[in-house]
């Protein structure tokens, strides 16, 4: 029995020596504010430690996305499921909860792959849209609900996210717009009264 334990320990050490040494820190990717989709992956089998967080598929390490929304702008962050319908994600900004994508049925639907525009248009795919103020952010996420096949969670998927920024209207421009609305209404009313005679 003692020999079997030593043999098992030697095998475990040999296997550990073959595995790459991994840094516990997350791999950060810069997310551009250009409205283009960026992909993220989840795979319980590939992830270091077997988790359900976003991972770098080359290393299995946790993956985050870093981005900034410039002063005078607001950011619109869109997150959508890909692969099979049925996945729901929870999101964090700087380690704090941001929210989750929409609830959907977990039974895996048809596969859409990485066509995130098509997934966004399909109600079977979970999605979330978040408005962010100016600042620098680190976005992370994990699988909250997995698509299932015959009742078994797949625990592996792909998703897409994109960032779009738009200028915040100047307060003076907004006031002028609000002040002009009654004039437009008055003109429309006069036109309607003139046509009724």
């Amino acid at each position: 029995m003692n020999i079997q334990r030593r043999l098992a320990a030697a095998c475990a050490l040999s296997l550990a020596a073959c595995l790459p040494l991994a840094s516990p820190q997350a791999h950060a990717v810069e997310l551009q504010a250009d409205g283009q989709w960026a992909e993220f992956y989840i795979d319980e089998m590939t992830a270091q430690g077997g988790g359900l967080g976003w991972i770098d598929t080359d290393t299995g390490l946790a993956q985050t996305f870093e981005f900034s929304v410039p002063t005078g702008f607001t950011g619109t962050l869109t997150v959508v499921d890909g692969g099979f319908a049925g996945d729901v994600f929870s999101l964090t900004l700087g380690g704090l909860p941001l929210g989750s994508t929409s609830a959907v049925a977990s039974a895996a639907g048809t596969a859409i792959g990485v066509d995130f525009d098509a997934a966004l248009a399909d109600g079977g795919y979970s999605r979330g849209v978040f408005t962010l103020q100016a600042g620098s952010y680190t976005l992370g996420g994990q699988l909250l609900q997995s698509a299932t096949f015959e009742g078994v969670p797949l625990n592996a998927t792909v998703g897409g996210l994109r960032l779009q920024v738009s200028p915040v209207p100047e307060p003076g421009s907004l006031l002028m717009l609000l002040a002009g609305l009654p004039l437009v209404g008055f003109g429309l009313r006069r036109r309607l009264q003139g046509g009724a005679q």
Side-chain angles (χ1 to χ4, degrees), residues 77-175:
L77 178 69
T78 305
V79 182
V80 68
D81 182 22
F84 290 102
D87 299 306
V88 176
F89 308 108
S90 65
L91 308 169
T92 60
L93 278 182
L96 300 174
L98 173 63
S100 62
T101 57
S102 59
V104 293
S106 65
T110 59
I112 208 158
V114 293
D115 187 348
F116 301 121
D117 289 317
L120 195 59
D122 185 330
Y125 287 83
S126 180
R127 83 277 325 271
V129 178
F130 306 91
T131 302
L132 303 170
Q133 302 305 315
S136 295
Y137 299 98
T138 300
L139 176 72
Q142 75 174 50
L143 193 58
L144 192 59
Q145 169 187 296
S146 176
T148 59
F149 182 71
E150 296 181 357
V152 178
L154 300 175
N155 290 341
T157 191
V158 61
L161 54 100
R162 69 179 177 197
L163 177 65
Q164 297 167 299
V165 296
S166 56
V168 175
E170 293 289 329
S173 302
L174 191 56
L175 286 175

Side-chain angles (χ1 to χ4, degrees), residues 60-87:
L61 294 175
Q63 183 174 38
T64 59
F65 291 86
E66 295 180 345
F67 60 92
S68 294
V69 176
T71 302
F73 288 78
T74 59
T76 302
L77 178 69
T78 305
V79 182
V80 68
D81 182 22
F84 290 102
D87 299 306

